[in-house]
Amino acid sequence: MKTIRYMHPVDGSVHLGIVVGDDVYSVTDKVASWTDPVPMWQALRALQLDMRSVEERLCVGDSLSYRNLTGEGRLLPPVLAPEVWASGVTYERSRVARNAETQLQDSVYDRVYTATRPELFFKATAERLVPPGQSLKLRSDSAWMVPEPELSVIISSQGDIIGYTIGNDLSSRDIEGENPLYLPQAKIFAASCSLGPALVWCDPAVDPLAWEIEMRIERAGDTVFLGNVALTQLRRPLSELVSYLLRDNPILDGTALMTGTGIVPPDEFTLQPGDVVAIEIQAIGQLVNPISAQGTRAVAMEAGV
């Protein structure tokens, strides 16, 4: 099952919808309290209802066009994630890139890559998340910035994986490279994170590591970078990353965990205002965000998101 959150084209209210092809069926119209996937997931789990039968019952009546909602800029982050966390150096390509950017002779990244304990760090709150289609913003004191495309898992407070989405972890390579202790400044700043466009609910029959992730960066209409990676190259099991996040660290239902990137542009590349970043996992969809400089955000976001 694939769901999105969106602003309804009639009155701008927030809806949760199930996506079937290009059709979007409002769940909120049928259960008013379900404007986010987490309460729906909790209810289905408590009642031990079969997801597919529930989906069939909800996908009736009038529908909206997924393509139109996307084109009109009505998509919201697919879950109201109270916190977003991220994993680092979980792919060989990431290890190589971090070693290239660091100014330290004894690289900590080789040790992180092979260590038992993964690198985990805080990235964003719900209020800091940028919806699909809206602008991520470059850090004003950085001269070397890249997007980081990542499979992201949405988890419950108990560590259950609710579903999967795409994350863009906008990062400053020169700030982190100067000193690894500057990682929070390289990662956490205004409009530095986006999730979307949809949430694919966890299904035992579906293996997300069988998917491939692709990133394309366009500048003035031309493709200036294109890369992809099979998620089988993720070094650490998803369950391991989740279990370390929960160690002595209570989280809330709907927390997002980015799982690291295996796609890094060449060292001479840096994002510029006007670039457009498109990240795609076929089963989930395509997360597209233009890039702009810091400043007042031009597009009003959902209150509290």
Side-chain angles (χ1 to χ4, degrees), residues 5-285:
R5 293 174 64 245
Y6 61 95
M7 293 181 290
H8 198 280
V10 175
D11 61 7
S13 58
V14 177
H15 282 242
L16 175 67
I18 297 176
V19 180
V20 181
D22 187 51
D23 294 317
V24 177
Y25 296 90
S26 174
V27 174
T28 307
D29 279 346
K30 302 170 182 69
V31 184
S33 61
W34 289 354
T35 58
D36 187 85
V38 174
M40 181 177 171
W41 176 82
Q42 292 169 330
L44 298 187
R45 188 180 189 201
L47 296 172
Q48 297 183 328
L49 296 176
D50 177 74
M51 187 188 306
R52 286 179 177 80
S53 65
V54 170
E55 182 178 2
E56 290 175 359
R57 280 183 279 167
L58 291 174
C59 293
V60 295
D62 295 335
S63 65
L64 297 171
S65 166
Y66 185 25
R67 187 180 300 107
N68 289 347
L69 289 173
T70 301
E72 294 168 3
R74 294 188 175 278
L75 295 189
L76 299 169
V79 61
L80 191 57
E83 294 179 343
V84 180
W85 294 76
S87 315
V89 201
T90 54
Y91 290 82
E92 171 64 16
R93 179 67 183 96
S94 180
R95 182 187 70 82
V96 171
R98 295 299 182 265
N99 281 337
E101 75 191 21
T102 186
Q103 298 179 24
L104 301 178
Q105 290 185 343
D106 182 18
S107 173
V108 298
Y109 300 106
D110 286 326
R111 283 180 278 171
V112 167
Y113 185 71
T114 59
T116 299
R117 182 184 296 273
E119 178 193 13
L120 297 174
F121 56 90
F122 184 77
K123 177 64 183 179
T125 59
E127 291 78 11
R128 291 179 169 90
L129 274 180
V130 174
Q134 294 193 24
S135 293
L136 292 171
K137 295 186 180 292
L138 300 174
R139 190 175 173 105
S140 59
D141 58 355
S142 173
W144 187 12
M145 299 205 62
V146 296
E148 296 191 5
E150 310 190 21
L151 173 71
S152 301
V153 295
I154 305 301
I155 53 183
S156 75
S157 60
Q158 301 303 310
D160 306 292
I161 294 180
I162 297 172
Y164 311 95
T165 190
I166 300 170
N168 189 337
D169 171 20
L170 192 61
S171 303
S172 168
R173 293 189 66 184
D174 52 349
I175 291 177
E176 182 181 1
E178 184 178 348
N179 190 320
L181 293 180
Y182 296 160
L183 178 67
Q185 295 175 76
K187 295 288 188 179
I188 307 170
F189 50 94
S192 66
C193 181
S194 184
L195 295 176
L199 177 72
V200 172
W201 288 39
C202 183
D203 185 334
V206 176
D207 178 12
L209 297 187
W211 298 338
E212 180 177 281
I213 187 167
E214 178 182 279
M215 179 171 72
R216 184 180 73 257
I217 303 174
E218 293 187 353
R219 179 173 296 161
D222 296 326
T223 298
V224 292
F225 176 80
L226 179 65
N228 63 79
V229 68
L231 293 176
T232 52
Q233 294 188 34
L234 180 64
R235 184 178 181 275
R236 298 180 185 270
L238 299 178
S239 58
E240 177 184 301
L241 295 174
V242 172
S243 69
Y244 269 95
L245 178 64
L246 267 67
R247 288 193 178 189
D248 300 312
N249 180 37
I251 63 170
L252 298 173
D253 287 331
T255 294
L257 174 61
M258 296 181 169
T259 61
T261 188
I263 306 173
V264 183
D267 292 347
E268 63 272 15
F269 178 88
T270 186
L271 287 168
Q272 297 179 9
D275 289 353
V276 177
V277 180
I279 305 169
E280 182 171 7
I281 296 177
Q282 190 171 21
I284 299 173

